[in-house]
Amino acid sequence: MVWDTAEAQAGAAAPRRQFLRRGMGLGAAAWAGVASAGGAGPVVTPLGERLPNAMKTPGGSDLAYGLPSPHESSVVRTESRAAGFSVWRSPLQHQRGIITPNGLHFATHHNGIPDITPEQHVLMVHGLVQRPLKFDMERLARYPMVSKVHFLECAGNSAANALSLTALDHTLGDLAGEVSCAEWTGVPLSYIFNEVGLKDSAQWVVVEGADGGSHSRSLPLSALAKDGMLALYQNGERLRASQGYPLRLFMPGWEGNVNVKWLHRLEVVDAPAYTKDESGLYTQVLKDGRIERFAFPMEVKSLITHPSGQQTLPEAKGFYEIGGLAWSGRGRITKVEVSVDGGATWASATLQAPVLDRAFTRFTLPWQWQGKKAVLMSRATDEHGNVQPTRSAWKSRYAAHSFNHYNAIQAWQVGRDGRVENTYA
């Protein structure tokens, strides 16, 4: 059976209109009740007394640096130390649009956050170059910059669903909140490579951060010259300390840890260095025992953000919008399909503009819930034909203890009481 999108949308639209009409009717009754209170004829309440309290007095003062409303104080990142280091996950279930606010952007810190004075910070470029150079931040800021919107995802995002034998009852943010999307602004790395001049034997670059553990990764020179950016700004303001202030590498679509924060050294070499992290934590072991090394792009993936884990649908048999995010480290999203019956049938969701290269794409689909158990799933396809796999398909490729680059379909079970929880389907 094929779930017809047009039929679903038509079926959902009518209840939505009824809901709006009912809401307007209740509002009119409330106003009428106020006007006739007491039963002895109309009671006229002065207009000033009927105004909301916020309209009766002048408001408070603003702040030098704006903050979210105090009524949104529960919308925060959550920290996990299950991996042995600090991981701050973004509450995707509370966000709309495709840009993650800087204060809610996910972050992973292997060695804490260093306190770096920008006037003393220097980027050194050396190795197989004609002119080894050092760049201070003031000099870098004089280069022409570009701004691009791209997602950033930790290689270990969604590890709980990759490893746990049973589906854990967590929020979306706690399950898969190690991904965010922002506008990054900085200097294309190609400018710097042209400045220093590359020798013929140059093939790789060892990228090192100025944190306590000297986090380092080896990256292919050709890719860095094509897409690499020395990022100085995020969403219009200077990088925050947890995002690598004053300077980080940014490689669109690649796993988060190669976007080295607190960047201070680029060594151009002829072969990878096989640093500690790239030879251990960020190497995937396949089902047959082989090793998948230097697997940089994050694969096509989608998540339903609403409704999602630990949320409750407030009204049975009502109209709801299923919405979520999709992205691919290899290009644009071309299609997202949604199932409400555990994958038995699928319908194409609407992709909301803009649909950008290696960035979050929003998708939505109207849904008329009949108050019965349901299993919601989304499946994304990118412009290269890559399709998000099922969990069983992903698990058949990797060893049981592998968890990096988990991009399997996320399923949410909706109970008759409207409660939503994580499930494997």
Side-chain angles (χ1 to χ4, degrees):
M1 183 180 75
V2 175
W3 187 41
D4 186 89
T5 307
E7 182 177 299
Q9 291 175 334
R16 189 180 191 185
R17 288 194 294 271
Q18 292 169 8
F19 172 79
L20 293 173
R21 283 198 297 269
R22 186 165 67 247
M24 294 174 64
L26 288 172
W31 277 101
V34 169
S36 61
V43 176
V44 179
T45 303
L47 176 61
E49 294 183 16
R50 282 183 272 152
L51 292 174
N53 290 335
M55 298 177 67
K56 297 177 182 175
T57 59
S61 58
D62 207 344
L63 302 171
Y65 192 94
L67 296 173
S69 165
H71 301 288
E72 300 295 323
S73 60
S74 63
V75 181
V76 294
R77 301 184 299 178
T78 55
E79 185 184 22
S80 170
R81 289 186 170 271
F85 46 81
S86 179
V87 177
W88 288 90
R89 294 166 175 154
S90 187
L92 300 174
Q93 66 275 17
H94 294 302
Q95 300 168 44
R96 292 294 190 273
I98 63 170
I99 298 298
T100 307
N102 287 343
L104 296 179
H105 199 285
F106 94 93
T108 300
H109 310 305
H110 292 212
N111 308 289
I113 301 175
D115 181 12
I116 295 177
T117 303
E119 291 79 10
Q120 299 174 357
H121 192 69
V122 172
L123 171 67
M124 179 170 62
V125 186
H126 65 116
L128 298 175
V129 299
Q130 304 293 341
R131 295 175 298 281
L133 291 174
K134 290 183 178 179
F135 301 83
D136 60 29
M137 298 303 99
E138 188 278 331
R139 183 179 175 189
L140 270 183
R142 282 186 273 155
Y143 280 81
M145 297 189 195
V146 297
S147 297
K148 296 184 177 180
V149 174
H150 290 300
F151 78 88
L152 183 63
E153 182 176 21
C154 178
N157 193 24
S158 306
N161 276 356
L163 295 173
S164 178
L165 296 178
T166 57
L168 303 177
D169 184 14
H170 291 329
T171 67
L172 171 61
D174 286 338
L175 285 170
E178 295 162 42
V179 62
S180 299
C181 188
E183 182 191 61
W184 303 94
T185 299
V187 181
L189 255 179
S190 58
Y191 297 176
I192 303 303
F193 291 148
N194 287 336
E195 191 93 32
V196 299
L198 299 169
K199 293 185 176 180
D200 291 342
S201 55
Q203 296 292 325
W204 290 74
V205 180
V206 178
V207 184
E208 184 179 82
D211 58 323
S214 300
H215 177 67
S216 304
R217 289 299 313 261
S218 303
L219 304 177
L221 174 62
S222 58
L224 287 174
K226 178 177 179 290
D227 287 333
M229 173 196 291
L230 299 176
L232 294 158
Y233 293 83
Q234 179 183 354
N235 292 334
E237 65 178 5
R238 289 300 302 268
L239 295 175
R240 297 196 172 188
S242 68
Q243 296 300 325
Y245 181 86
L247 180 68
R248 79 177 301 170
L249 174 69
F250 193 82
M251 279 296 291
W254 285 20
E255 60 184 23
N257 69 88
V258 309
N259 297 265
V260 175
K261 296 182 285 189
W262 314 293
L263 178 64
H264 83 132
R265 192 170 71 87
L266 300 174
E267 182 179 2
V268 182
V269 294
D270 58 358
Y274 297 101
T275 65
K276 172 178 68 67
D277 285 334
E278 66 195 20
S279 296
L281 181 59
Y282 296 111
T283 292
Q284 287 71 252
V285 181
L286 303 180
K287 197 80 167 183
D288 59 9
R290 290 180 298 142
I291 290 174
E292 189 176 70
R293 185 177 284 135
F294 301 121
F296 299 121
M298 299 302 291
E299 302 297 341
V300 62
K301 189 170 181 177
S302 69
L303 298 165
I304 293 175
T305 57
H306 58 278
S308 61
Q310 296 191 359
Q311 295 178 345
T312 300
L313 302 179
E315 182 180 3
K317 300 182 180 181
F319 168 85
Y320 293 94
E321 179 189 73
I322 297 173
L325 293 165
W327 62 93
S328 170
R330 299 185 183 276
R332 290 175 172 80
I333 293 296
T334 55
K335 181 170 64 175
V336 177
E337 300 162 286
V338 172
S339 174
V340 299
D341 53 14
T345 60
W346 296 86
S348 292
T350 298
L351 303 185
Q352 297 183 352
V355 179
L356 303 175
D357 177 25
R358 291 168 288 184
F360 275 177
T361 295
R362 277 278 170 193
F363 66 87
T364 59
L365 186 80
W367 177 43
Q368 180 68 42
W369 183 44
Q370 300 297 333
K372 301 176 182 178
K373 284 186 176 180
V375 175
L376 312 182
M377 307 163 69
S378 62
R379 180 174 63 191
T381 302
D382 69 18
E383 61 181 329
H384 300 288
N386 300 303
V387 181
Q388 191 176 3
T390 63
R391 183 174 184 274
S392 59
W394 191 93
K395 294 289 287 184
S396 70
R397 172 175 169 77
Y398 293 95
H401 62 279
S402 287
F403 59 87
N404 286 327
H405 289 247
Y406 181 84
N407 67 323
I409 292 172
Q410 167 70 53
W412 301 116
Q413 178 171 287
V414 182
R416 290 191 178 89
D417 58 356
R419 190 176 189 279
V420 184
E421 62 182 287
N422 184 30
T423 189
Y424 294 157

